[in-house]
Amino acid sequence: MDFDLTDEQQMFQKLARDFADREIEPVAEQIELEDRIPEDMLAKMARVGLLGVTAPEDYGGLQMGFLTLVLVLEQIHYPCTPCTWLLAGNELAEVLEAAGTREQKDEFLPDVVEGKSLPGGVFTEAATGSYEDMITTTAKLENGRWILNGTKRFHTFGNVDGPAIIFARTGEKKTSAIIVPKNIEGYTSSKPWGLMGLRGLETVDTFIRNVSVPEGYLLGEKDGGLDILFKVTAGGRLRQAILSVACGQRALDEAVSYARERTTSRGPISKMQGIRWQFAEMASRIEASRWLTYRMSFLREQGKAVRSESAMAKLFAGQAAEWVASEALKIHGAYGYTTEYKIERVHRAALAQELIEGTNEIQKSIVGAAVVQD
Amino acid sequence: MNIIVCIKQILDPEIPPAKFKVDTVAKKVVCPEGIPLVVSPYDEQAVEAALRIKESRSDAKLTALTLGGAGAKDAIKHVLSMGVDEGIIVNDDAFEGSDAFGTAYILSKAIEKLGDYGLVLCGRQAADWDAGQVGPVLAEYLGIPVVTVAKEVAAVDGKVTVKQVLADGYRVLHMAMPALVTVSSEIGQARLPSGKGIVMAARKQVTVWSSQDLGCDPGRIGSGAARAELAELFVPSQDRKSEIITGKDVAEAAGNLAGVLRREGAI
Ligand SMILES: Cc1cc2nc3c(=O)[nH]c(=O)nc-3n(C[C@H](O)[C@H](O)[C@H](O)COP(=O)(O)OP(=O)(O)OC[C@H]3O[C@@H](n4cnc5c(N)ncnc54)[C@H](O)[C@@H]3O)c2cc1C
């Protein structure tokens, strides 16, 4: 078994780490306070190629594997900011690779890789949440065009120009995925939801009223939307898992540097056995999460479906990050509860991954079914 | 126009002090395990200067040159991923222990082998030993003019224009090409590599030349030829003392403080 990363993977990892240190970390507090990502962030990411890590070279991408993307995400999310979500171009590339036509890639991918447009994708509705059969948005084919109607919920960057993948009903219990350029006629968005953490992430409700797009904007087969959804959510789950790893690592690092400095009459608290044992627990869970996620990402890169495996990684890493962040906060004592220290922001960020792309319970149901095999 | 940038791989200057160890008997720095070497920051800035010139003239071709062992390839790949066109490693057991003169001699032989060039760029000093000798000595061996400690370098109409950092500002100097410039941190932060650069770098072959390839005179390389002798290598110990200065009032305490500072030679 060879666990070594390739030279290229290590170089991408370093590039992402240096980018996060240089461009994201210094503005992390500002993003939080202003509830806004700086406007030039997307262009900066595009310049170093972070928006097209997995996109094919023909479309300006770098055509690296899924594991490389995961390594990049881990570093980019270390500051625990919503900037990580700007890497959504990689997600679109993946969906188009799985189900897109050449024309769709030609039309949408180059702009996304260059940071000229920011893609979105929305399945969620007020009633769907964990239940895909509750979807109510409809798409009807009329005179060679899809006419869409409905309201979507929690659509990240649903208000920013770029292509969105909208899941809509195309028949009784039938769902299709259709590309809709955001902000065209009939497409409007609410103001962003106020979020507990990851402030600056623009997650909106999207109102779709007689939105009309060409027939060729259908992704994959008609009525094949759920197949696409299930195919891409495995990747989505691994992306969330690695964000958990990043949050956990950051929380631990914050706690260690605090413990080294917090001195009592018996010296720094980092010298105390109780604190060290806690660090040992935290570090062990993070390391286990990291390698579980790397391994599943590697398998995905090899073309394996990793449906339950990705759910396992997301569940374990998400729970680990939440626990680690919470313990790290407590190690800060009362200071942990103040906004003077970074740990409270890291803690809030760490909770997101247990909800996005399916809650823990949904992951457990997937893993449980795979274990019992009934 | 060919631009050659000399780069050196060093121990990361950002490592925590507790990880920095020296072997006082072998008189060598011990590289801590698991911490990769980095390109010396001034050399990265020399690469940045070269890349800026390349952006200003389409005929510029950049070659990075490094004298180094097993890890040298990482240094070359790093600068290739920043946008350098080609990389060359000179490596030979016979080079081991070369001092600044030996290193400059080896680099000069490699540059002569490369042939046609307009500009050689080096960092103002390597951020490990901070000697700053290789650049000027290399210029001497190549028989070309040199300006050290540059904050801006331009190459236009067969002439190199350099803003050289002075204690109280800078001066502008012109040189005929070929010339050598050592680049200082005032040039600004070196750019990050790009993903595209990383992909391209992985596809590029790195040339490796030995002492024989360069036709080096064995009498001028290695520890035997070193003109400088390292007498001792140690991590200086820092003693901290604290003394509470008192007095019957603030004025007397201040007077006593001044007395102590004078006694210690601080003022
Ligand atoms: C910041 C943010 C950004 C988002 N961005 C997007 C986006 O861009 N696109 C998109 O489509 N969606 C997005 N979402 C939505 C997210 O994916 C959904 O919120 C998530 O899938 C959970 O759905 P829900 O909130 O409706 O939970 P519900 O399904 O209502 O679940 C509520 C609770 O019931 C539990 N539960 C439900 N069913 C079961 C069961 N069978 N067994 C046991 N327990 C169960 C759940 O685990 C949970 O604890 C985003 C969410 C957030 C917070």
Side-chain angles (χ1 to χ4, degrees):
Chain A
M1 230 188 266
D2 183 3
F3 286 98
D4 280 341
L5 300 176
T6 64
D7 286 352
E8 252 174 317
Q9 285 168 336
Q10 290 180 46
M11 286 170 88
F12 270 98
Q13 200 175 33
K14 180 166 188 317
L15 167 62
R17 186 182 311 137
D18 290 345
F19 184 89
D21 273 356
R22 199 186 275 194
E23 304 291 353
I24 305 178
E25 189 65 41
V27 293
E29 288 305 317
Q30 178 199 327
I31 293 171
E32 174 77 11
L33 289 175
E34 294 177 2
D35 199 3
R36 219 168 59 87
I37 298 173
E39 247 159 54
D40 57 355
M41 187 59 79
L42 189 66
K44 284 181 178 170
M45 288 176 157
R47 211 171 302 141
V48 294
L50 293 178
L51 305 181
V53 177
T54 51
E57 281 190 347
D58 288 353
Y59 301 98
L62 303 170
Q63 212 163 315
M64 297 300 295
F66 185 74
L67 178 56
T68 305
L69 173 62
V70 161
L71 295 168
V72 164
L73 286 170
E74 180 180 359
Q75 301 304 326
I76 291 292
H77 202 53
Y78 185 72
C80 295
T81 74
C83 299
T84 311
W85 271 260
L86 295 176
L87 268 67
N90 293 293
E91 233 162 295
L92 182 79
E94 231 184 297
V95 178
L96 291 180
E97 207 44 37
T101 62
R102 183 149 192 116
E103 291 73 30
Q104 289 166 350
K105 290 181 203 168
D106 281 342
E107 185 169 353
F108 298 110
L109 261 189
D111 277 0
V112 162
V113 170
E114 286 172 33
K116 291 182 188 152
S117 75
L118 186 57
V122 66
F123 179 83
T124 308
E125 295 180 3
T128 59
S130 313
Y131 292 88
E132 53 260 16
D133 55 351
M134 301 279 283
I135 197 164
T136 59
T137 297
T138 58
K140 290 202 177 89
L141 193 58
E142 286 173 14
N143 305 321
R145 294 186 73 85
W146 290 102
I147 310 295
L148 290 97
N149 277 289
T151 301
K152 288 291 180 185
R153 174 136 295 169
F154 295 136
H155 185 186
T156 299
F157 296 127
N159 53 343
V160 183
D161 286 351
I165 295 166
I166 307 274
F167 288 86
R169 217 167 247 323
T170 37
E172 185 70 20
K173 298 220 161 158
K174 298 280 195 282
T175 303
S176 298
I178 295 169
I179 306 172
V180 174
K182 291 178 268 185
N183 301 327
I184 60 172
E185 200 183 335
Y187 181 113
T188 52
S189 296
S190 68
K191 71 177 183 24
W193 284 83
L195 297 177
M196 162 185 179
L198 299 173
R199 286 167 57 80
L201 190 70
E202 294 176 54
T203 297
V204 299
D205 287 352
T206 293
F207 311 107
I208 301 166
R209 302 284 174 266
N210 292 321
V211 166
S212 160
V213 297
E215 186 174 0
Y217 282 12
L218 173 73
L219 260 181
E221 302 285 311
K222 179 174 173 288
D223 304 333
L226 291 186
D227 289 343
I228 296 173
L229 185 70
F230 293 147
K231 223 184 260 175
V232 297
T233 44
R237 286 196 281 262
L238 291 171
R239 276 194 292 270
Q240 294 300 318
I242 203 66
L243 304 194
S244 291
V245 173
C247 291
Q249 186 66 54
R250 182 57 185 266
L252 173 60
D253 293 348
E254 290 296 323
V256 170
S257 68
Y258 179 81
R260 281 209 187 106
E261 278 170 18
R262 174 68 170 138
T263 316
T264 68
S265 57
R266 281 182 252 162
I269 61 169
S270 59
K271 299 259 183 226
M272 295 174 177
Q273 188 185 47
I275 300 279
R276 287 185 174 218
W277 282 14
Q278 201 65 346
F279 286 154
E281 292 264 1
M282 292 155 88
S284 306
R285 290 190 203 191
I286 296 164
E287 198 63 3
S289 306
R290 174 177 291 124
W291 285 94
L292 181 62
T293 309
Y294 285 1
R295 159 99 177 126
M296 300 316 178
S297 302
F298 172 77
L299 288 179
R300 182 169 169 80
E301 185 172 310
Q302 306 297 306
K304 308 266 168 25
V306 292
R307 182 169 147 76
S308 65
E309 293 89 339
S310 60
M312 214 182 255
K314 180 177 185 292
L315 174 68
F316 186 77
Q319 289 178 328
E322 182 189 348
W323 182 81
V324 168
S326 165
E327 294 308 306
L329 190 146
K330 285 183 241 169
I331 286 170
H332 281 71
Y335 298 102
Y337 204 65
T338 68
T339 51
E340 292 293 309
Y341 283 80
K342 291 181 181 143
I343 188 64
E344 66 85 29
R345 180 170 58 77
V346 173
H347 184 266
R348 285 183 284 117
L351 301 182
Q353 287 86 237
E354 289 185 287
L355 307 165
I356 301 175
E357 298 266 2
T359 61
N360 284 359
E361 290 68 31
I362 298 306
Q363 311 310 318
K364 286 185 199 178
S365 301
I366 296 168
V367 178
V371 171
V372 176
Q373 293 187 339
D374 56 359
Chain B
M1 182 188 62
N2 291 325
I3 302 177
I4 298 162
V5 191
C6 300
I7 60 169
K8 182 184 180 187
Q9 214 181 15
I10 62 164
L11 187 61
D12 191 343
E14 304 290 327
I15 60 165
K19 294 237 180 219
F20 183 76
K21 300 250 155 53
V22 299
D23 179 339
T24 49
V25 178
K27 296 181 202 163
K28 278 194 167 153
V29 175
V30 183
C31 287
E33 211 178 309
I35 296 186
L37 300 177
V38 298
V39 174
S40 173
Y42 295 117
D43 297 351
E44 262 195 331
Q45 281 159 324
V47 170
E48 176 63 35
L51 290 166
R52 288 182 197 170
I53 294 171
K54 190 180 167 183
E55 279 161 359
S56 72
R57 50 188 295 170
S58 55
D59 68 335
K61 184 181 154 222
L62 313 189
T63 303
L65 173 62
T66 189
L67 167 63
K73 202 163 162 211
D74 293 340
I76 291 289
K77 291 272 170 184
H78 176 69
V79 297
L80 289 176
S81 71
M82 288 170 75
V84 168
D85 300 296
E86 241 176 58
I88 292 167
I89 297 172
V90 287
N91 184 25
D92 201 303
D93 289 345
F95 296 154
E96 187 63 32
S98 297
D99 66 358
F101 288 88
T103 303
Y105 170 70
I106 297 161
L107 294 175
S108 73
K109 296 298 280 182
I111 291 170
E112 278 164 10
K113 187 171 165 72
L114 274 167
D116 175 35
Y117 63 94
L119 183 62
V120 179
L121 295 170
C122 300
R124 62 177 284 177
Q125 64 209 52
D128 50 0
W129 291 95
D130 286 327
Q133 293 169 354
V134 169
V137 178
L138 174 58
E140 179 68 25
Y141 287 163
L142 291 170
I144 59 174
V146 55
V147 172
T148 55
V149 198
K151 61 177 269 184
E152 213 176 286
V153 190
V156 189
D157 299 335
K159 227 170 46 183
V160 186
T161 303
V162 184
K163 281 189 185 164
Q164 184 186 43
V165 180
L166 302 174
D168 55 354
Y170 67 86
R171 62 178 169 183
V172 180
L173 298 163
H174 302 288
M175 288 186 285
M177 289 204 264
L180 188 147
V181 178
T182 77
V183 176
S184 186
S185 49
E186 285 83 355
I187 198 152
Q189 205 173 27
R191 71 194 58 193
L192 291 173
S194 70
K196 193 147 249 147
I198 294 174
V199 173
M200 302 292 280
R203 290 177 193 162
K204 282 186 183 151
Q205 285 295 327
V206 179
T207 309
V208 182
W209 284 336
S210 66
S211 178
Q212 205 182 352
D213 292 332
L214 299 180
C216 286
D217 172 357
R220 295 183 71 178
I221 56 174
S223 50
R227 302 183 191 188
E229 190 196 338
L230 184 60
E232 202 182 343
L233 184 69
F234 61 97
V235 179
S237 68
Q238 285 181 338
D239 282 339
R240 283 184 202 181
K241 290 192 293 192
S242 65
E243 195 177 327
I244 310 274
I245 314 288
T246 55
K248 70 177 185 313
D249 54 24
V250 178
E252 192 185 281
N256 291 343
L257 173 63
V260 171
L261 291 176
R262 200 166 296 132
R263 189 184 75 214
E264 296 290 334
I267 53 173

